[in-house]
Amino acid sequence: DPSSAILNAQKHAAQIYGTKHTYFLTNGSTSGIIASVLACTKPGDKILLHDDAHPSHTNAVRLAGAVPVYYQLETDDKFGVPLDVKPELIENIIKKENIKALIVTSPTYEGIVSDIKAIKKVCKHYGTYLIVDEAHGALYPFSENLPQSAVKDADFTVQSLHKTAGGLNPTALLHCNCGLD
């Protein structure tokens, strides 16, 4: 429950990023993923996540008492890394399941970026919260030469400043654009 200098700094960060709220995290992106899932779900809700996602995604689902529903990604033939999350894939799953939240990693560790704007359209249509693990894309909002950041489109975006933006380990940010405060 920050007050004074930290509260003012968080408000300033939200202005810089163009988000409704920005929260400072002192336990890396993991705590932001967990906080996002806990904020928008309740026990028994279904959460859609990649079948080979970061352990924090699975742990967040478990902590929330939610039910994981997994999606699989196509892989690059040459390098064997997962490719981007296709909005059509997400929509096909959301149509069949009552998904409360979706977790997407973009960019991935390998630098693969998904079309977050298109994925958000699908989520909005079905009333599904979009959580983006943008741990490796903390600088994306500050250059037109980098891929588009999720901070203005996703309901929750988590960024690890200590990975790509020079924050002390384990500095991270949780951006929130939905009505959950």
Side-chain angles (χ1 to χ4, degrees):
D1 189 21
S3 61
S4 191
I6 293 176
L7 179 61
N8 289 335
Q10 288 183 161
K11 287 180 180 178
H12 187 63
Q15 290 174 340
I16 290 168
Y17 282 93
T19 60
K20 187 173 179 181
H21 300 284
T22 294
Y23 302 97
F24 298 161
L25 305 173
T26 57
N27 196 23
S29 287
T30 293
S31 60
I33 296 295
I34 292 169
S36 299
V37 170
L38 290 174
C40 68
T41 64
K42 52 186 190 278
D45 285 343
K46 292 181 181 178
I47 301 177
L48 184 57
L49 62 155
H50 180 234
D51 64 349
D52 193 27
H54 188 275
S56 67
H57 301 188
T58 305
N59 291 338
V61 173
R62 285 186 189 133
L63 283 170
V67 177
V69 176
Y70 297 100
Y71 62 88
Q72 295 181 330
L73 296 174
E74 295 176 26
T75 56
D76 178 84
D77 292 334
K78 184 175 181 181
F79 298 106
V81 299
L83 297 174
D84 60 317
V85 178
K86 304 284 190 240
E88 306 81 32
L89 169 70
I90 298 305
E91 185 165 25
N92 287 337
I93 297 170
I94 290 176
K95 272 189 213 177
K96 296 174 188 170
E97 305 278 347
N98 183 20
I99 302 294
K100 184 70 172 193
L102 162 67
I103 306 173
V104 172
T105 300
S106 179
T108 64
Y109 182 78
E110 299 84 10
I112 306 297
V113 178
S114 295
D115 185 348
I116 298 302
K117 283 185 185 295
I119 294 169
K120 176 58 184 175
K121 284 182 185 178
V122 171
C123 289
K124 187 173 182 177
H125 179 76
Y126 292 96
T128 300
Y129 288 101
L130 175 58
I131 301 167
V132 178
D133 183 340
E134 194 173 75
H136 291 90
L139 294 177
Y140 283 11
F142 303 110
S143 175
E144 292 180 13
N145 295 320
L146 295 171
Q148 183 64 47
S149 172
V151 295
K152 293 187 178 162
D153 296 305
D155 296 298
F156 301 94
T157 303
V158 182
Q159 298 174 322
S160 290
L161 299 181
H162 67 278
K163 290 182 179 172
T164 58
L168 297 174
N169 198 24
T171 306
L173 299 173
L174 168 58
H175 304 285
C176 178
N177 287 314
C178 57
L180 300 173
D181 299 327

